[in-house]
């Protein structure tokens, strides 16, 4: 099932919960978790498919904004 995740789903979601803005771009999250943009995008897509994040393409440059869903907030409430 691929290599082990060095950053947990909860760690990624916490960055969204604690961000000053209501959303983060893929590049911003990649920097926060010290991961390539491609690696970060892959993880974000998984979290979106799980229902914890939503996303929207923000420009023709394919910048993508991501934000925490109510299910994402609920997931974090159940984490230690």
């Amino acid at each position: 099932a691929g290599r082990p995740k060095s950053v947990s789903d909860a760690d990624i979601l916490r960055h969204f919960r604690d961000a000053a803005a209501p959303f983060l771009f893929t590049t911003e999250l990649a920097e926060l978790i010290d991961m390539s943009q491609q690696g970060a995008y892959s993880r974000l897509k998984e979290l979106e498919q799980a229902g914890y994040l939503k996303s929207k393409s923000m420009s023709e440059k394919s910048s993508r904004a991501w934000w925490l869903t109510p299910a994402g907030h609920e997931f974090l409430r159940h984490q230690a």
Side-chain angles (χ1 to χ4, degrees), residues 54-74:
K54 288 273 194 197
S55 71
K56 179 177 168 68
S57 182
M58 299 302 280
S59 72
E60 66 283 348
K61 295 179 191 173
S62 73
S63 292
R64 196 152 200 85
W66 304 83
W67 59 93
L68 209 51
T69 64
H73 284 286
E74 188 65 21

Side-chain angles (χ1 to χ4, degrees), residues 1-57:
R3 59 194 184 115
K5 295 178 179 177
S6 57
V7 181
S8 74
D9 291 347
D11 287 339
I12 291 174
L13 295 175
R14 280 187 198 102
H15 282 292
F16 286 91
R17 182 193 63 197
D18 299 340
F23 61 85
L24 291 172
F25 289 109
T26 308
T27 50
E28 292 175 305
L29 183 77
E31 289 175 18
L32 288 169
I33 62 175
D34 194 27
M35 192 179 278
S36 71
Q37 190 170 340
Q38 186 176 4
Y41 179 82
S42 175
R43 292 295 301 281
L44 290 167
K45 208 67 188 143
E46 288 174 16
L47 290 167
E48 184 177 45
Q49 288 168 348
Y52 300 142
L53 293 175
K54 288 273 194 197
S55 71
K56 179 177 168 68
S57 182

